[in-house]
């Protein structure tokens, strides 16, 4: 049963404190030509905008995160941290298509009075950032001092800088790229195949595809971490073991975690959204497009990232007129952008002092 939950037309699968909601008064037109007749964006704010309105930090979150950024990126946000709500006005908006408060596949379609389910329209990264900009206007923000995001969050920040070149003064981007690679799209397709192999996936319910979601998460985790990390943390000490391996238990556990906090239909649609990331679509060559983005940018890569490797961030730094590349070392691969907060803090602080 779909319940009315704190400003949404569906049940948010986990409790998220202090959510706020922006409801658009008009239909939202998507890049494909389709439209959403009812648009809601969930978001969090921390701190206050100052009188000069020049202290805004906008966080673009990654795939299955939510807008409660001080929860999942606590090492960078909080009192005395790099991003301090006592000094800055910090905003994070839940992406369109996510089930953490924004309009998504589990939202009620006002034309049918039923959840969209698999009929939810394709939402591109460009659509996501245009929805963010509606929230920006609603909050009375004229200028974003710094946009920050990792992975899919970095995709969004780049698109925002391309679409709204005058609205963001600087951006700090981690493990991101100018377009989604064939490697990443293949991983997404493997995840979608896992979802679709669950017979219940085709039902229009909140519980649809839960077992498939566990499998899809397992596929994703192979790209998020590294060979060395799995060897170091998931190798069994018992040399005689024939079953119930530690690595198997870890993957099962991670699949169960996502099943408890996310909806399969939303995950399927968001993977499709990731596939659409391509700054050059309809704009010319990638080099030409990047040359027109004048926003000063810090590009941070992780030496062990297999999903979006450092070569992708170096390419951005090479072709963005004011791009600078830095690299951190981590045994955690792509997930290092959520874990290596001390290194990230140091790099961003140093860059901000000199940029």
């Amino acid at each position: 049963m779909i319940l009315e939950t704190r400003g949404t037309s569906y049940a948010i699968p986990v409790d998220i404190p202090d959510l706020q909601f922006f409801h658009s008064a008009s239909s939202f037109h998507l890049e494909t030509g389709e439209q959403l007749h009812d648009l809601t964006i969930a978001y969090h704010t921390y701190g206050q905008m100052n009188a000069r309105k020049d202290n805004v930090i906008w966080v673009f979150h990654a795939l299955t995160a939510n807008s409660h950024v001080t929860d999942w990126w606590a090492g960078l946000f909080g009192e005395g941290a790099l991003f301090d709500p006592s000094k800055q006005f910090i905003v994070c908006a839940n992406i369109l298509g996510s089930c953490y408060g924004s309009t998504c596949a589990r939202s009620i379609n006002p034309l049918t009075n039923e959840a969209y389910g698999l009929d939810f329209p394709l939402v591109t990264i460009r659509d996501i950032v245009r929805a963010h900009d509606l929230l920006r206007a609603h909050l009375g923000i004229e200028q974003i001092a710094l946009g920050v995001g990792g992975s899919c969050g970095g995709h969004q920040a780049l698109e925002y800088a391309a679409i709204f070149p005058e609205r963001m003064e600087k951006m700090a981007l981690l493990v991101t790229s100018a377009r989604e690679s064939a490697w990443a799209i293949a991983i997404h397709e493997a995840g979608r195949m896992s979802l679709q192999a669950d017979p219940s996936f085709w039902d229009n319910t909140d519980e649809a595809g839960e077992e498939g979601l566990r499998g899809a998460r397992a596929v994703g985790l192979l790209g998020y971490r590294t060979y060395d990390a799995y060897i170091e943390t998931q190798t069994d000490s018992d040399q005689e073991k024939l079953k119930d391996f530690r690595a198997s238990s870890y993957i099962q556990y991670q699949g169960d975690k996502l099943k408890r906090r996310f909806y399969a239909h939303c995950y399927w649609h968001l993977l499709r959204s990731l596939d659409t990331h391509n700054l050059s679509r309809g704009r010319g060559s990638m080099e030409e497009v990047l040359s027109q983005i004048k926003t000063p940018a810090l590009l941070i890569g992780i030496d062990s990232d297999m999903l979006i490797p450092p070569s992708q961030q170096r390419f951005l730094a090479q072709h963005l007129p004011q791009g600078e590349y830095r690299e951190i070392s981590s045994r955690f691969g792509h997930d290092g952008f959520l874990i290596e907060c001390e290194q990230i803090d140091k790099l961003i602080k140093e860059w901000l002092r000199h940029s």
Side-chain angles (χ1 to χ4, degrees):
M1 182 178 181
I2 298 173
L3 305 174
E4 183 71 25
T5 307
R6 296 172 300 179
T8 75
S9 60
Y10 62 92
I12 299 174
V14 294
D15 181 52
I16 303 175
D18 305 319
L19 266 182
Q20 302 176 69
F21 297 93
F22 162 67
H23 302 282
S24 175
S26 57
S27 295
F28 184 72
H29 294 267
L30 302 169
E31 187 181 350
T32 60
E34 295 186 80
Q35 59 182 304
L36 293 170
H37 298 281
D38 186 8
L39 176 69
T40 296
I41 299 295
Y43 66 98
H44 279 77
T45 62
Y46 308 87
Q48 301 291 326
M49 190 156 43
N50 63 23
R52 297 187 302 276
K53 298 186 176 184
D54 63 357
N55 66 333
V56 177
I57 307 295
W58 195 289
V59 184
F60 300 88
H61 74 70
L63 185 67
T64 62
N66 57 55
S67 57
H68 192 13
V69 65
T70 58
D71 180 43
W72 52 265
W73 227 359
L76 296 179
F77 293 82
E79 188 173 352
L82 172 63
F83 302 116
D84 188 339
S86 70
K87 302 174 182 177
Q88 295 153 323
F89 183 49
I90 301 163
V91 182
C92 184
N94 183 226
I95 61 176
L96 187 59
S98 172
C99 54
Y100 291 140
S102 295
T103 300
C104 68
R106 300 314 308 154
S107 298
I108 296 297
N109 180 349
L111 300 182
T112 65
N113 289 321
E114 295 181 355
Y116 285 99
L118 294 176
D119 291 331
F120 191 66
L122 175 63
V123 171
T124 68
I125 298 297
R126 296 180 188 182
D127 294 325
I128 289 171
V129 301
R130 288 192 302 105
H132 286 337
D133 197 61
L134 293 178
L135 173 62
R136 174 205 60 80
H138 169 73
L139 294 174
I141 295 171
E142 298 171 2
Q143 195 78 9
I144 296 170
L146 177 69
V148 58
S151 191
C152 173
H155 298 356
Q156 295 165 58
L158 283 165
E159 268 295 349
Y160 194 89
I163 298 172
F164 307 108
E166 305 300 324
R167 291 184 188 161
M168 187 164 58
E169 294 179 10
K170 298 177 181 179
M171 53 186 176
L173 313 179
L174 301 94
V175 293
T176 193
S177 59
R179 68 177 295 181
E180 201 72 343
S181 69
W183 167 244
I185 292 171
I187 292 174
H188 302 160
E189 185 62 22
R192 288 189 290 265
M193 290 168 69
S194 296
L195 287 164
Q196 292 163 200
D198 181 342
S200 72
F201 179 69
W202 309 102
D203 299 335
N204 193 3
T205 67
D206 289 352
E207 297 76 25
E210 287 186 338
E211 290 306 304
L213 181 60
R214 293 174 72 247
R217 184 60 164 179
V219 170
L221 280 168
L222 299 179
Y224 294 155
R225 295 296 174 98
T226 66
Y227 176 89
D228 289 338
Y230 275 96
I231 297 301
E232 181 178 341
T233 64
Q234 304 303 326
T235 297
D236 291 277
S237 58
D238 181 358
Q239 302 293 335
E240 307 305 318
K241 183 175 281 191
L242 294 174
K243 61 180 182 177
D244 300 325
F245 294 99
R246 186 172 181 177
S248 300
S249 298
Y250 172 75
I251 288 293
Q252 295 278 352
Y253 168 72
Q254 294 294 341
D256 287 337
K257 276 182 63 178
L258 188 65
K259 184 181 80 170
R260 290 193 295 270
R261 71 175 181 89
F262 220 78
Y263 291 134
H265 286 173
C266 294
Y267 193 71
W268 189 80
H269 282 288
L270 284 179
L271 290 179
R272 295 175 70 217
S273 295
L274 275 181
D275 290 353
T276 71
H277 176 54
N278 185 348
L279 288 172
S280 69
R281 186 175 61 253
R283 293 171 173 154
S285 74
M286 189 64 76
E287 291 80 3
E288 291 171 340
V289 173
L290 292 174
S291 71
Q292 295 168 15
I293 298 176
K294 310 299 184 184
T295 309
L298 174 65
L299 291 310
I300 299 177
I302 295 177
D303 59 358
S304 59
D305 189 352
M306 298 186 299
L307 184 63
I308 311 179
S311 59
Q312 299 299 299
Q313 294 90 59
R314 292 194 193 100
F315 177 83
L316 286 167
Q318 179 184 354
H319 294 286
L320 288 168
Q322 298 192 68
E324 296 184 34
Y325 177 71
R326 303 288 186 275
E327 188 169 299
I328 64 176
S329 181
S330 175
R331 64 187 177 92
F332 295 108
H334 189 72
D335 270 356
F337 87 94
L338 296 170
I339 300 169
E340 306 290 357
C341 291
E342 186 174 340
Q343 293 188 68
I344 294 167
D345 177 285
K346 181 179 179 180
L347 287 177
I348 295 179
K349 279 181 177 175
E350 184 178 88
W351 177 70
L352 288 174
R353 279 197 300 268
H354 297 99
S355 63

